[in-house]
Amino acid sequence: MIKLLTIIGARPQIIKAAALSRAIKNKFQKAIQEVIVHTGQHYDENMSQVFFDELQIPSPDYNLNTGSGSHGKQTASMITGIEEILLKEKPNAIVLYGDTNSTLAGAIAASKIQVPVIHIEAGLRSYNKSMPEEINRIMCDHVSTLLFSPTKAGYENLLKEGFKSNNHAPYSFDNPKIYHCGDVMYDNSLHFSEVAEEKTTVLKHNNLKAGGFILATIHRNNNTDEPLRLNALFRALNAIATENKTKIVLPLHPRTAKLLPVNLDPELYTQVQANGYIQIIPPVSFLEIIALEKNASMVITDSGGVQKEAFFFQKPCIILRSETEWVELVECGSARITDADEIKIKEAYKHFSSAKSLNFPRLFGDGRAAEFICGEVLKYIN
Ligand code: UD1
Ligand code: UDP
């Protein structure tokens, strides 16, 4: 039996971790013990607890209750807490997801005391270091022992950074093993999509019809914190909704909810609030967002996870960023990068509204990435 210490903290990590916890419960219970540490980076009920209930993730064994703060303060506090737990629990490895400050804290705490790091969602790059996430993921990859990339592009990024495809066991952070293994989020979307509409009332509650609305999410720090960008994004949404009499549903991240009244031009803010076609709602649960994604006509987002889920459910996606780590979506034409450019967003909307057929090849594995990861971990972590 090996012991894995899983670090979660932000909403997408809690969701990603569900896939591995499910695989362990169903197939590897006798071989893997999982200890879950919640850093407390996200803490609102609808940013954290809702996912444990709905996705049947075991309750965290520890909660560091870190909360919000500057990058340094937040990350430092998590490193201290994670180190203490690592010393006490003595796991065989730490499991880290994605690219948040919780990921970075886990990578630093574990690697400094030589606990092997398993990085799930390794290799993704935006090649834009002004994104805090780009720094987090690069740092984490370069102290990892097993690196699981969900995409071929991610795997190739690792090769470009000097990782080798032909290292031999025993693996370590000086001799790491890299994989292209599919996406645990695809596992989750497949697993939960069948019951999403049946188990939620989000469509009915918000009076939404299949194909009759656009789903939008905005939370990326440069979009929320830079007034010029935030205004451009909301001018575009306001215009698309009004000119096309199209409903836009916007489950709003708390970061954006806090900054909207501060950074949006007051006149535009009033217009958005008064626009009957724009429905701003609190963050929704995972089953609810799947129901929204499956039934939307289009997705407009700056989220990494939502971009991909739009693709899983074969919906066109407008990406409100200057680049994406999920380059395949853009390459196959089902997503367009518009940045926070009002004109480009409107053009992309027009393009996708009249697009006859779009291409959604199977790029993210077979829905069993988590099982594969558990199998490989058992081979090489002891
Ligand atoms: C973080 C991640 C980002 C990820 C996102 C997922 C980092 C650097 N960023 O961004 O990569 O895409 O999570 O959602 O780790 N807040 C609340 N309640 C909460 C959580 C946050 O009100 O439960 C508010 C606070 O005002 C906080 C702000 O949101 O200051 C930002 O939270 P934080 O976790 O620092 O970053 P995110 O923008 O959520
Ligand atoms: N999500 C959710 N409810 C919401 C918005 C997003 O459950 O109201 C899910 C979404 O389906 C995806 C994950 O949260 O699986 C993405 O998280 P987020 O957009 O916060 O972060 P990112 O993926 O950009 O890091």
Side-chain angles (χ1 to χ4, degrees):
M1 173 82 105
I2 61 162
K3 187 195 274 188
L4 299 180
L5 194 99
T6 295
I7 303 292
I8 53 177
R11 167 170 69 188
Q13 290 166 327
I14 303 171
I15 299 171
K16 285 166 200 169
L20 215 74
S21 296
R22 196 169 57 247
I24 293 173
K25 186 172 150 215
N26 293 340
K27 291 218 159 159
F28 299 93
Q29 220 167 23
K30 292 203 174 114
I32 300 176
Q33 178 198 355
E34 189 182 29
V35 175
I36 299 180
V37 178
H38 192 328
T39 63
Q41 178 170 351
H42 286 173
Y43 44 85
D44 290 348
E45 207 276 340
N46 58 18
M47 294 294 287
S48 175
Q49 188 55 44
V50 66
F51 302 107
F52 288 90
D53 300 341
E54 191 175 70
L55 309 185
Q56 289 154 23
I57 308 166
S59 293
D61 299 276
Y62 297 89
N63 193 324
L64 300 174
N65 293 311
T66 305
S68 307
S70 68
H71 288 284
K73 212 169 162 190
Q74 189 183 52
T75 311
S77 159
M78 294 177 194
I79 293 173
T80 310
I82 295 170
E83 185 185 59
E84 273 176 27
I85 298 170
L86 286 168
L87 291 171
K88 181 174 158 220
E89 289 286 344
K90 300 185 176 46
N92 299 83
I94 193 168
V95 180
L96 303 173
Y97 291 93
D99 53 21
T100 72
N101 287 348
S102 299
T103 317
L104 176 63
I108 293 174
S111 59
K112 288 291 184 82
I113 54 173
Q114 297 178 36
V115 173
V117 172
I118 298 166
H119 189 200
I120 298 179
E121 221 179 65
L124 297 179
R125 298 289 181 267
S126 62
Y127 294 103
N128 170 6
K129 288 204 190 80
S130 68
M131 264 186 103
E133 294 83 356
E134 182 75 352
I135 295 172
N136 293 346
R137 48 171 97 102
I138 292 174
M139 309 265 267
C140 181
D141 280 341
H142 284 265
V143 293
S144 292
T145 289
L146 300 184
L147 296 92
F148 292 97
S149 176
T151 59
K152 189 158 169 274
Y155 182 84
E156 284 166 358
N157 291 337
L158 291 173
L159 293 177
K160 279 185 230 153
E161 286 175 24
F163 287 88
K164 305 263 183 333
S165 58
N166 55 355
N167 284 351
H168 295 292
Y171 298 113
S172 69
F173 46 12
D174 286 322
N175 181 45
K177 169 125 175 104
I178 61 172
Y179 297 87
H180 167 206
C181 72
D183 192 340
V184 292
M185 282 309 298
Y186 185 54
D187 299 11
N188 276 333
S189 292
L190 284 186
H191 185 80
F192 291 105
S193 81
E194 278 178 21
V195 294
E197 285 107 322
E198 187 190 306
K199 289 203 172 166
T200 60
T201 55
V202 67
L203 297 174
K204 200 168 155 215
H205 188 72
N206 290 288
N207 202 13
L208 302 169
K209 305 238 156 21
F213 65 96
I214 295 169
L215 171 67
T217 77
I218 297 173
H219 78 280
R220 200 57 56 201
N221 66 325
N222 66 339
N223 282 336
T224 59
D225 300 7
E226 291 177 29
L228 279 177
R229 293 179 65 92
L230 195 65
N231 277 281
L233 294 178
F234 274 86
R235 273 199 310 275
L237 293 184
N238 202 36
I240 289 172
T242 311
E243 287 163 19
N244 303 286
K245 297 192 177 12
T246 297
K247 261 193 190 179
I248 300 183
V249 182
L250 185 61
L252 210 56
H253 190 288
R255 174 183 206 112
T256 322
K258 282 178 187 157
L259 287 167
L260 220 47
V262 182
N263 284 342
L264 216 55
D265 176 56
E267 200 181 321
L268 178 59
Y269 189 38
T270 310
Q271 280 173 18
V272 168
Q273 284 179 309
N275 192 332
Y277 290 107
I278 297 186
Q279 272 171 260
I280 296 185
I281 60 175
V284 294
S285 75
F286 189 59
L287 288 184
E288 286 173 329
I289 197 116
I290 289 187
L292 291 171
E293 288 162 348
K294 279 176 79 178
N295 288 281
S297 58
M298 194 182 298
V299 173
I300 304 182
T301 190
D302 61 9
S303 157
V306 176
Q307 265 173 65
K308 240 176 337 153
E309 287 157 6
F311 184 87
F312 299 159
F313 297 117
Q314 311 208 337
K315 306 294 169 171
C317 181
I318 299 175
I319 302 172
L320 306 173
R321 290 180 42 195
S322 55
E323 74 287 304
T324 179
E325 303 76 34
W326 307 103
V327 289
E328 297 84 352
L329 313 186
V330 177
E331 280 164 9
C332 69
S334 67
R336 262 198 184 184
I337 289 174
T338 61
D339 206 2
D341 181 322
E342 188 184 345
I343 294 173
K344 284 190 187 159
I345 297 168
K346 288 185 193 166
E347 278 171 4
Y349 170 77
K350 239 190 204 160
H351 166 75
F352 284 132
S353 301
S354 57
K356 290 273 175 297
S357 71
L358 292 165
N359 190 19
F360 299 94
R362 209 165 90 172
L363 296 171
F364 293 92
D366 58 2
R368 288 163 36 166
E371 284 176 24
F372 173 80
I373 291 169
C374 288
E376 293 302 298
V377 166
L378 280 171
K379 276 190 214 159
Y380 299 119
I381 297 290
N382 44 50

